[in-house]
Amino acid sequence: MTDTPASNVPEFSVSEISGALRRTVEETFSLVRVRGEISGFKRHSSGHLYFALKDAEAVLDAVCWRGQAGRLACVPEDGLEVIATGRLTIYPGRSKYQMVVERMEIAGKGALLKLLEDRRKKLTAEGLFDPARKRPLPFLPTVIGVITSPTGAVIRDILHRLAERFPRRVLLWPVAVQGEGAAEQIAAAITGFDALAPGGAVPRPDLLIVARGGGSIEDLWAFNEEVVVRAAAACRIPLISAVGHETDTTLIDFAADLRAPTPTAAAEKAVPVRADLLAQLAETGGRLTGAATRGLSLRRERLDGLARALPSPRAAIEDRARRLDERAERLRLALPTLLLRRRAEVDRLAHALARAVATAKARLERDRLRLTQTGERLKPAVVRCLAEHGRTLDTQAKLLESLSYKRVLDRGFAVLRGEDGTVVSSTHGAEPGQALSVEVKDGRIAVRVEGTPRKPAGKARTDQRQADLF
Amino acid sequence: MAELPADIAALSFEDALGELDRIVRALEGGATKLDDAIKAYERGALLRGHCEAKLKEAEARVERIVLGTGGTVGLEPALPSQ
């Protein structure tokens, strides 16, 4: 052994110095929060997580034992900037130090929002937020499942608003809504409700509400976790998400069938207002009765109206009976009236006949009288008449005699006649050579015309002279 | 009221109210045959009763899910802490 200043420095074995270093590090850094980006993330089959935290300058190995790994508030992945909480330790066998992570949270709002956006895009691409997946909410659910913290204002607000609008049966599935393991609990509750068989001991809700009050983005982070989003998307019961305040949006809102801005609003979306329904039902019921009554009275009125328009058979019969009676009466009266009229006619004719006979008799009498009288006057009248005619005849005969041409013959005149006896009173008809007869007072002389008369007047005279001469 | 026919008993409040509304409209329209109108009224009355019964079931009951061993799901009455 040499006593040199250098030798004053205590000498450690490797194990000793390693152990001393390990103690120093572990005592000094028994609880640290380290901010860095996850890199080289590896999940070992044992359940332990191995990764590194790094920044621009340095790298820090880290491990998360299985017991803690399931309870992390966020799921580690490469590129995620986190704040890891844990302790530093040294692994002497490899001269390496590392951080044993017990809790982990996402670091910084910007990083969180980026992660959120990336995840949203990824799940959207998977079709989890497809509008076609949305189920309509039941109008009036019978059983409502609520997934939220059993303590706090949220469940109270929901129950209060439900009671106000329409009291329903509510099944509360208590979960942690933030912190480690919250996402897994929420997802398990959604899946658990969905797994209930209809008609089982625990009634299957027909509507789910997943709710949480307001908080920071970190507080609400469980509702952004894939496991929750996937459970909500897969759930066959219509689901309302109501996480945070109106301005907060978490990924479960995209997967839910309806997003309510607040837990109270979720209760309002869940059930209608009972009083409104009662009023509406009363009104509809009233209309039903009214319409039925009105329908009947309307038909009654129409029937009455038609019945009025329909001629009454009794009236028709009565009318006909009246007309029949009237005719029967007229018939009954007709014969006597006719006989009476005929008798009057006969009487009138008989009288007329008697009058006519009397008149005729009187006229006959008168005529007979006149005949008798006339007859008595007839004979003297005839005698007188004959006598008168006789006298007249005499007178006429004398006159006739006095006018006869024979008297002229007596006085020397003659009548010249043709062969046919016609009187020739001019030269006409006295042709030369013609035979004529001349009548004189005591007989006739036959003569013949001589020569040819040159002119009628002279010849006749000549002829007469010649006749005379002859 | 007469025994509720099964098809009405199975109706949701909303469907029953919807059918009641259609019946009322038809009756108010007045074009229904008398026999049909009477049948419709009777059915309307049953639907109304069904709706009223549905509205009467307005009991607020809050229960809490309890997880048993082996993942069984049970219920217990719950009054949420105020």
Short mmCIF file of all heavy atoms in Angstrom, two decimals, chain A residues 256-317:
data_model
loop_
_atom_site.label_atom_id
_atom_site.label_comp_id
_atom_site.label_asym_id
_atom_site.label_seq_id
_atom_site.Cartn_x
_atom_site.Cartn_y
_atom_site.Cartn_z
N ALA A 256 -71.20 8.90 -31.03
CA ALA A 256 -72.52 8.79 -30.39
C ALA A 256 -73.62 9.00 -31.42
O ALA A 256 -73.40 9.59 -32.48
CB ALA A 256 -72.63 9.83 -29.28
N ASP A 257 -74.83 8.49 -31.12
CA ASP A 257 -75.96 8.71 -32.02
C ASP A 257 -76.46 10.14 -31.91
O ASP A 257 -77.04 10.68 -32.85
CB ASP A 257 -77.07 7.71 -31.68
CG ASP A 257 -76.59 6.28 -31.92
OD1 ASP A 257 -76.23 5.97 -33.06
OD2 ASP A 257 -76.52 5.51 -30.95
N LEU A 258 -76.23 10.74 -30.76
CA LEU A 258 -76.58 12.15 -30.61
C LEU A 258 -75.60 12.77 -29.62
O LEU A 258 -75.27 12.17 -28.59
CB LEU A 258 -78.01 12.30 -30.08
CG LEU A 258 -78.50 13.75 -29.97
CD1 LEU A 258 -78.91 14.28 -31.34
CD2 LEU A 258 -79.66 13.88 -29.00
N ARG A 259 -75.16 13.96 -29.94
CA ARG A 259 -74.28 14.67 -29.01
C ARG A 259 -75.10 15.75 -28.33
O ARG A 259 -75.73 16.58 -28.98
CB ARG A 259 -73.13 15.34 -29.78
CG ARG A 259 -72.20 16.06 -28.86
CD ARG A 259 -71.63 17.32 -29.44
NE ARG A 259 -70.87 18.02 -28.40
CZ ARG A 259 -70.78 19.32 -28.31
NH1 ARG A 259 -71.40 20.10 -29.17
NH2 ARG A 259 -70.07 19.86 -27.35
N ALA A 260 -75.12 15.70 -26.99
CA ALA A 260 -75.78 16.76 -26.24
C ALA A 260 -74.71 17.68 -25.68
O ALA A 260 -73.65 17.22 -25.28
CB ALA A 260 -76.60 16.16 -25.10
N PRO A 261 -74.96 18.97 -25.67
CA PRO A 261 -73.92 19.90 -25.21
C PRO A 261 -73.62 19.75 -23.71
O PRO A 261 -72.48 20.00 -23.30
CB PRO A 261 -74.50 21.28 -25.53
CG PRO A 261 -75.95 21.06 -25.73
CD PRO A 261 -76.12 19.67 -26.20
N THR A 262 -74.60 19.38 -22.94
CA THR A 262 -74.39 19.23 -21.49
C THR A 262 -75.18 18.03 -21.00
O THR A 262 -76.10 17.56 -21.68
CB THR A 262 -74.91 20.46 -20.73
OG1 THR A 262 -76.33 20.56 -20.98
CG2 THR A 262 -74.25 21.76 -21.20
N PRO A 263 -74.89 17.53 -19.82
CA PRO A 263 -75.67 16.42 -19.26
C PRO A 263 -77.15 16.76 -19.11
O PRO A 263 -78.02 15.92 -19.39
CB PRO A 263 -75.02 16.20 -17.89
CG PRO A 263 -73.60 16.63 -18.09
CD PRO A 263 -73.67 17.80 -19.03
N THR A 264 -77.45 17.98 -18.72
CA THR A 264 -78.86 18.38 -18.61
C THR A 264 -79.56 18.31 -19.97
O THR A 264 -80.68 17.82 -20.09
CB THR A 264 -78.95 19.81 -18.06
OG1 THR A 264 -78.32 19.83 -16.78
CG2 THR A 264 -80.38 20.26 -17.93
N ALA A 265 -78.84 18.79 -20.97
CA ALA A 265 -79.41 18.73 -22.32
C ALA A 265 -79.61 17.28 -22.75
O ALA A 265 -80.58 16.98 -23.48
CB ALA A 265 -78.49 19.45 -23.31
N ALA A 266 -78.74 16.40 -22.32
CA ALA A 266 -78.90 14.98 -22.66
C ALA A 266 -80.21 14.45 -22.10
O ALA A 266 -80.94 13.71 -22.78
CB ALA A 266 -77.72 14.17 -22.11
N ALA A 267 -80.53 14.84 -20.87
CA ALA A 267 -81.80 14.41 -20.28
C ALA A 267 -82.97 14.95 -21.08
O ALA A 267 -84.00 14.29 -21.25
CB ALA A 267 -81.87 14.87 -18.82
N GLU A 268 -82.81 16.18 -21.58
CA GLU A 268 -83.90 16.76 -22.37
C GLU A 268 -84.08 16.04 -23.69
O GLU A 268 -85.20 15.88 -24.18
CB GLU A 268 -83.60 18.25 -22.62
CG GLU A 268 -83.86 19.09 -21.39
CD GLU A 268 -83.36 20.51 -21.54
OE1 GLU A 268 -82.88 20.85 -22.64
OE2 GLU A 268 -83.45 21.26 -20.55
N LYS A 269 -82.94 15.61 -24.27
CA LYS A 269 -83.05 14.88 -25.53
C LYS A 269 -83.61 13.48 -25.30
O LYS A 269 -84.18 12.87 -26.20
CB LYS A 269 -81.68 14.73 -26.20
CG LYS A 269 -80.96 16.04 -26.43
CD LYS A 269 -81.40 16.69 -27.71
CE LYS A 269 -80.52 17.88 -28.05
NZ LYS A 269 -81.13 18.71 -29.09
N ALA A 270 -83.44 12.98 -24.08
CA ALA A 270 -83.77 11.59 -23.81
C ALA A 270 -85.27 11.36 -23.71
O ALA A 270 -85.76 10.33 -24.17
CB ALA A 270 -83.08 11.12 -22.52
N VAL A 271 -85.99 12.29 -23.10
CA VAL A 271 -87.42 12.07 -22.88
C VAL A 271 -88.21 13.30 -23.27
O VAL A 271 -87.75 14.42 -23.16
CB VAL A 271 -87.73 11.73 -21.40
CG1 VAL A 271 -87.18 10.37 -21.03
CG2 VAL A 271 -87.21 12.81 -20.49
N PRO A 272 -89.44 13.08 -23.75
CA PRO A 272 -90.33 14.21 -24.01
C PRO A 272 -90.90 14.75 -22.70
O PRO A 272 -90.70 14.15 -21.64
CB PRO A 272 -91.41 13.60 -24.88
CG PRO A 272 -91.45 12.17 -24.46
CD PRO A 272 -90.06 11.79 -24.07
N VAL A 273 -91.60 15.85 -22.77
CA VAL A 273 -92.22 16.40 -21.56
C VAL A 273 -93.57 15.72 -21.36
O VAL A 273 -94.43 15.76 -22.25
CB VAL A 273 -92.40 17.92 -21.69
CG1 VAL A 273 -93.10 18.48 -20.46
CG2 VAL A 273 -91.05 18.58 -21.89
N ARG A 274 -93.72 15.08 -20.20
CA ARG A 274 -94.92 14.28 -19.97
C ARG A 274 -96.17 15.16 -20.00
O ARG A 274 -97.20 14.76 -20.55
CB ARG A 274 -94.79 13.59 -18.61
CG ARG A 274 -95.98 12.75 -18.25
CD ARG A 274 -95.65 11.85 -17.08
NE ARG A 274 -96.84 11.18 -16.60
CZ ARG A 274 -97.55 11.61 -15.55
NH1 ARG A 274 -97.16 12.67 -14.89
NH2 ARG A 274 -98.62 10.96 -15.18
N ALA A 275 -96.08 16.33 -19.40
CA ALA A 275 -97.25 17.20 -19.35
C ALA A 275 -97.71 17.56 -20.76
O ALA A 275 -98.91 17.59 -21.05
CB ALA A 275 -96.93 18.47 -18.55
N ASP A 276 -96.74 17.82 -21.64
CA ASP A 276 -97.09 18.13 -23.03
C ASP A 276 -97.82 16.96 -23.67
O ASP A 276 -98.81 17.13 -24.38
CB ASP A 276 -95.82 18.43 -23.84
CG ASP A 276 -95.21 19.76 -23.45
OD1 ASP A 276 -95.83 20.48 -22.64
OD2 ASP A 276 -94.10 20.06 -23.93
N LEU A 277 -97.27 15.76 -23.41
CA LEU A 277 -97.88 14.58 -24.01
C LEU A 277 -99.29 14.37 -23.48
O LEU A 277 -100.21 14.04 -24.22
CB LEU A 277 -97.03 13.33 -23.71
CG LEU A 277 -95.68 13.30 -24.39
CD1 LEU A 277 -94.97 12.01 -24.04
CD2 LEU A 277 -95.84 13.40 -25.90
N LEU A 278 -99.46 14.58 -22.16
CA LEU A 278 -100.80 14.42 -21.57
C LEU A 278 -101.76 15.41 -22.22
O LEU A 278 -102.89 15.06 -22.57
CB LEU A 278 -100.73 14.66 -20.06
CG LEU A 278 -100.17 13.49 -19.25
CD1 LEU A 278 -99.91 13.91 -17.81
CD2 LEU A 278 -101.13 12.31 -19.28
N ALA A 279 -101.29 16.64 -22.38
CA ALA A 279 -102.15 17.66 -22.99
C ALA A 279 -102.48 17.27 -24.43
O ALA A 279 -103.63 17.36 -24.87
CB ALA A 279 -101.46 19.02 -22.95
N GLN A 280 -101.44 16.82 -25.15
CA GLN A 280 -101.65 16.45 -26.54
C GLN A 280 -102.62 15.28 -26.64
O GLN A 280 -103.51 15.25 -27.49
CB GLN A 280 -100.31 16.08 -27.18
CG GLN A 280 -100.40 15.82 -28.67
CD GLN A 280 -99.11 15.23 -29.21
OE1 GLN A 280 -98.09 15.21 -28.52
NE2 GLN A 280 -99.15 14.77 -30.44
N LEU A 281 -102.44 14.32 -25.73
CA LEU A 281 -103.30 13.14 -25.75
C LEU A 281 -104.74 13.53 -25.42
O LEU A 281 -105.68 13.06 -26.05
CB LEU A 281 -102.79 12.09 -24.76
CG LEU A 281 -103.57 10.79 -24.75
CD1 LEU A 281 -103.48 10.13 -26.12
CD2 LEU A 281 -103.04 9.86 -23.68
N ALA A 282 -104.89 14.42 -24.42
CA ALA A 282 -106.23 14.86 -24.06
C ALA A 282 -106.88 15.56 -25.25
O ALA A 282 -108.06 15.34 -25.56
CB ALA A 282 -106.16 15.80 -22.86
N GLU A 283 -106.09 16.37 -25.92
CA GLU A 283 -106.63 17.11 -27.08
C GLU A 283 -107.02 16.14 -28.19
O GLU A 283 -108.10 16.23 -28.76
CB GLU A 283 -105.56 18.08 -27.58
CG GLU A 283 -106.11 19.15 -28.51
CD GLU A 283 -105.58 18.99 -29.91
OE1 GLU A 283 -104.39 18.61 -30.04
OE2 GLU A 283 -106.34 19.23 -30.87
N THR A 284 -106.11 15.19 -28.46
CA THR A 284 -106.41 14.22 -29.51
C THR A 284 -107.62 13.36 -29.13
O THR A 284 -108.47 13.06 -29.97
CB THR A 284 -105.18 13.33 -29.76
OG1 THR A 284 -104.07 14.17 -29.99
CG2 THR A 284 -105.39 12.45 -30.97
N GLY A 285 -107.68 12.99 -27.83
CA GLY A 285 -108.82 12.19 -27.36
C GLY A 285 -110.11 12.97 -27.54
O GLY A 285 -111.13 12.42 -27.96
N GLY A 286 -110.06 14.24 -27.21
CA GLY A 286 -111.24 15.09 -27.39
C GLY A 286 -111.65 15.16 -28.84
O GLY A 286 -112.84 15.07 -29.18
N ARG A 287 -110.64 15.29 -29.69
CA ARG A 287 -110.94 15.35 -31.12
C ARG A 287 -111.54 14.03 -31.60
O ARG A 287 -112.44 14.02 -32.44
CB ARG A 287 -109.69 15.66 -31.92
CG ARG A 287 -109.38 17.14 -31.99
CD ARG A 287 -108.01 17.40 -32.57
NE ARG A 287 -107.89 16.93 -33.93
CZ ARG A 287 -106.71 16.72 -34.53
NH1 ARG A 287 -105.58 16.95 -33.88
NH2 ARG A 287 -106.66 16.31 -35.76
N LEU A 288 -111.02 12.93 -31.03
CA LEU A 288 -111.54 11.61 -31.42
C LEU A 288 -113.03 11.52 -31.09
O LEU A 288 -113.85 11.18 -31.93
CB LEU A 288 -110.76 10.51 -30.68
CG LEU A 288 -111.27 9.10 -30.90
CD1 LEU A 288 -110.98 8.66 -32.32
CD2 LEU A 288 -110.65 8.14 -29.91
N THR A 289 -113.37 11.86 -29.84
CA THR A 289 -114.76 11.79 -29.42
C THR A 289 -115.59 12.75 -30.24
O THR A 289 -116.68 12.41 -30.73
CB THR A 289 -114.86 12.14 -27.93
OG1 THR A 289 -113.88 11.38 -27.22
CG2 THR A 289 -116.24 11.82 -27.39
N GLY A 290 -115.06 13.97 -30.40
CA GLY A 290 -115.80 14.98 -31.15
C GLY A 290 -116.04 14.54 -32.58
O GLY A 290 -117.16 14.66 -33.09
N ALA A 291 -114.99 14.01 -33.19
CA ALA A 291 -115.12 13.62 -34.60
C ALA A 291 -116.12 12.48 -34.74
O ALA A 291 -116.94 12.48 -35.66
CB ALA A 291 -113.76 13.19 -35.15
N ALA A 292 -116.06 11.54 -33.79
CA ALA A 292 -116.99 10.40 -33.87
C ALA A 292 -118.42 10.89 -33.67
O ALA A 292 -119.33 10.53 -34.42
CB ALA A 292 -116.62 9.35 -32.83
N THR A 293 -118.61 11.74 -32.66
CA THR A 293 -119.95 12.26 -32.39
C THR A 293 -120.45 13.07 -33.57
O THR A 293 -121.58 12.90 -34.02
CB THR A 293 -119.91 13.16 -31.13
OG1 THR A 293 -119.19 12.47 -30.11
CG2 THR A 293 -121.31 13.49 -30.66
N ARG A 294 -119.57 13.93 -34.07
CA ARG A 294 -119.96 14.77 -35.19
C ARG A 294 -120.28 13.91 -36.40
O ARG A 294 -121.25 14.17 -37.10
CB ARG A 294 -118.84 15.74 -35.54
CG ARG A 294 -119.28 17.18 -35.48
CD ARG A 294 -118.23 18.18 -35.87
NE ARG A 294 -116.87 17.73 -35.92
CZ ARG A 294 -116.03 17.71 -34.90
NH1 ARG A 294 -116.45 18.10 -33.71
NH2 ARG A 294 -114.80 17.32 -35.04
N GLY A 295 -119.46 12.88 -36.58
CA GLY A 295 -119.69 11.99 -37.72
C GLY A 295 -121.07 11.36 -37.62
O GLY A 295 -121.80 11.28 -38.61
N LEU A 296 -121.45 10.96 -36.39
CA LEU A 296 -122.76 10.32 -36.22
C LEU A 296 -123.89 11.32 -36.43
O LEU A 296 -124.86 11.04 -37.13
CB LEU A 296 -122.86 9.71 -34.82
CG LEU A 296 -122.12 8.38 -34.65
CD1 LEU A 296 -122.25 7.89 -33.24
CD2 LEU A 296 -122.65 7.35 -35.63
N SER A 297 -123.74 12.50 -35.84
CA SER A 297 -124.84 13.46 -35.97
C SER A 297 -124.95 13.94 -37.41
O SER A 297 -126.06 14.20 -37.90
CB SER A 297 -124.64 14.64 -35.01
OG SER A 297 -123.44 15.29 -35.28
N LEU A 298 -123.80 14.03 -38.07
CA LEU A 298 -123.83 14.42 -39.48
C LEU A 298 -124.61 13.40 -40.29
O LEU A 298 -125.45 13.74 -41.13
CB LEU A 298 -122.39 14.50 -40.00
CG LEU A 298 -122.08 15.61 -40.99
CD1 LEU A 298 -122.27 16.97 -40.33
CD2 LEU A 298 -120.65 15.47 -41.49
N ARG A 299 -124.31 12.13 -40.00
CA ARG A 299 -125.03 11.08 -40.72
C ARG A 299 -126.51 11.11 -40.37
O ARG A 299 -127.37 10.91 -41.23
CB ARG A 299 -124.43 9.73 -40.37
CG ARG A 299 -123.11 9.47 -41.08
CD ARG A 299 -122.53 8.15 -40.63
NE ARG A 299 -121.40 7.78 -41.47
CZ ARG A 299 -120.16 8.17 -41.26
NH1 ARG A 299 -119.88 8.98 -40.24
NH2 ARG A 299 -119.18 7.77 -42.03
N ARG A 300 -126.82 11.39 -39.09
CA ARG A 300 -128.22 11.45 -38.67
C ARG A 300 -128.93 12.55 -39.45
O ARG A 300 -130.04 12.35 -39.96
CB ARG A 300 -128.26 11.70 -37.15
CG ARG A 300 -129.52 12.29 -36.60
CD ARG A 300 -130.71 11.37 -36.70
NE ARG A 300 -130.47 10.07 -36.09
CZ ARG A 300 -131.18 8.99 -36.39
NH1 ARG A 300 -132.15 9.06 -37.26
NH2 ARG A 300 -130.91 7.84 -35.81
N GLU A 301 -128.27 13.70 -39.55
CA GLU A 301 -128.88 14.81 -40.27
C GLU A 301 -129.12 14.44 -41.74
O GLU A 301 -130.18 14.74 -42.30
CB GLU A 301 -127.97 16.04 -40.22
CG GLU A 301 -128.13 16.85 -38.96
CD GLU A 301 -127.04 17.88 -38.82
OE1 GLU A 301 -126.52 18.32 -39.87
OE2 GLU A 301 -126.70 18.23 -37.68
N ARG A 302 -128.10 13.80 -42.32
CA ARG A 302 -128.25 13.44 -43.73
C ARG A 302 -129.39 12.45 -43.91
O ARG A 302 -130.18 12.54 -44.84
CB ARG A 302 -126.95 12.85 -44.26
CG ARG A 302 -126.13 13.88 -45.01
CD ARG A 302 -124.68 13.51 -45.13
NE ARG A 302 -124.46 12.21 -45.74
CZ ARG A 302 -123.32 11.54 -45.66
NH1 ARG A 302 -122.32 12.07 -45.00
NH2 ARG A 302 -123.18 10.37 -46.21
N LEU A 303 -129.48 11.50 -42.96
CA LEU A 303 -130.54 10.50 -43.02
C LEU A 303 -131.90 11.19 -42.91
O LEU A 303 -132.81 10.93 -43.69
CB LEU A 303 -130.35 9.49 -41.89
CG LEU A 303 -131.41 8.39 -41.80
CD1 LEU A 303 -131.42 7.58 -43.08
CD2 LEU A 303 -131.18 7.51 -40.60
N ASP A 304 -132.00 12.11 -41.92
CA ASP A 304 -133.27 12.82 -41.74
C ASP A 304 -133.63 13.58 -43.01
O ASP A 304 -134.78 13.57 -43.45
CB ASP A 304 -133.15 13.79 -40.56
CG ASP A 304 -133.16 13.03 -39.23
OD1 ASP A 304 -133.39 11.80 -39.27
OD2 ASP A 304 -132.94 13.66 -38.19
N GLY A 305 -132.61 14.24 -43.56
CA GLY A 305 -132.85 15.03 -44.76
C GLY A 305 -133.36 14.16 -45.89
O GLY A 305 -134.35 14.48 -46.56
N LEU A 306 -132.72 13.00 -46.06
CA LEU A 306 -133.13 12.10 -47.13
C LEU A 306 -134.51 11.54 -46.84
O LEU A 306 -135.33 11.38 -47.74
CB LEU A 306 -132.11 10.98 -47.29
CG LEU A 306 -130.78 11.44 -47.88
CD1 LEU A 306 -129.76 10.33 -47.84
CD2 LEU A 306 -130.98 11.93 -49.30
N ALA A 307 -134.76 11.22 -45.54
CA ALA A 307 -136.05 10.65 -45.18
C ALA A 307 -137.16 11.65 -45.49
O ALA A 307 -138.23 11.29 -45.96
CB ALA A 307 -136.06 10.29 -43.69
N ARG A 308 -136.84 12.95 -45.23
CA ARG A 308 -137.84 13.98 -45.54
C ARG A 308 -138.10 14.01 -47.04
O ARG A 308 -139.23 14.19 -47.48
CB ARG A 308 -137.35 15.34 -45.06
CG ARG A 308 -137.80 15.65 -43.63
CD ARG A 308 -137.65 17.13 -43.34
NE ARG A 308 -136.28 17.57 -43.42
CZ ARG A 308 -135.38 17.40 -42.45
NH1 ARG A 308 -135.72 16.80 -41.34
NH2 ARG A 308 -134.15 17.83 -42.60
N ALA A 309 -137.01 13.86 -47.80
CA ALA A 309 -137.16 13.94 -49.25
C ALA A 309 -137.90 12.72 -49.79
O ALA A 309 -138.52 12.79 -50.84
CB ALA A 309 -135.78 14.05 -49.90
N LEU A 310 -137.85 11.62 -49.03
CA LEU A 310 -138.49 10.38 -49.48
C LEU A 310 -140.00 10.50 -49.26
O LEU A 310 -140.44 10.80 -48.15
CB LEU A 310 -137.93 9.22 -48.65
CG LEU A 310 -138.16 7.81 -49.15
CD1 LEU A 310 -137.39 7.59 -50.43
CD2 LEU A 310 -137.72 6.83 -48.07
N PRO A 311 -140.85 10.27 -50.29
CA PRO A 311 -142.29 10.41 -50.07
C PRO A 311 -142.78 9.34 -49.09
O PRO A 311 -142.39 8.19 -49.20
CB PRO A 311 -142.89 10.22 -51.46
CG PRO A 311 -141.82 9.58 -52.26
CD PRO A 311 -140.50 9.91 -51.65
N SER A 312 -143.66 9.75 -48.16
CA SER A 312 -144.14 8.80 -47.16
C SER A 312 -145.15 7.88 -47.82
O SER A 312 -146.08 8.33 -48.49
CB SER A 312 -144.81 9.56 -46.02
OG SER A 312 -145.85 8.79 -45.48
N PRO A 313 -144.99 6.58 -47.66
CA PRO A 313 -145.93 5.64 -48.28
C PRO A 313 -147.34 5.85 -47.74
O PRO A 313 -148.31 5.74 -48.49
CB PRO A 313 -145.39 4.26 -47.90
CG PRO A 313 -144.28 4.48 -46.94
CD PRO A 313 -143.92 5.92 -46.92
N ARG A 314 -147.47 6.18 -46.46
CA ARG A 314 -148.81 6.35 -45.91
C ARG A 314 -149.51 7.53 -46.58
O ARG A 314 -150.66 7.45 -46.97
CB ARG A 314 -148.73 6.54 -44.40
CG ARG A 314 -150.09 6.43 -43.76
CD ARG A 314 -149.99 6.27 -42.27
NE ARG A 314 -149.32 7.44 -41.70
CZ ARG A 314 -148.91 7.52 -40.45
NH1 ARG A 314 -149.05 6.50 -39.65
NH2 ARG A 314 -148.34 8.59 -40.01
N ALA A 315 -148.68 8.60 -46.73
CA ALA A 315 -149.26 9.78 -47.37
C ALA A 315 -149.70 9.44 -48.78
O ALA A 315 -150.77 9.86 -49.23
CB ALA A 315 -148.24 10.91 -47.38
N ALA A 316 -148.84 8.66 -49.46
CA ALA A 316 -149.17 8.30 -50.82
C ALA A 316 -150.46 7.48 -50.86
O ALA A 316 -151.33 7.70 -51.69
CB ALA A 316 -148.02 7.52 -51.45
N ILE A 317 -150.58 6.56 -49.90
CA ILE A 317 -151.78 5.71 -49.86
C ILE A 317 -153.00 6.55 -49.53
O ILE A 317 -154.06 6.44 -50.17
CB ILE A 317 -151.59 4.59 -48.82
CG1 ILE A 317 -150.56 3.58 -49.36
CG2 ILE A 317 -152.90 3.90 -48.51
CD1 ILE A 317 -150.16 2.55 -48.36
#
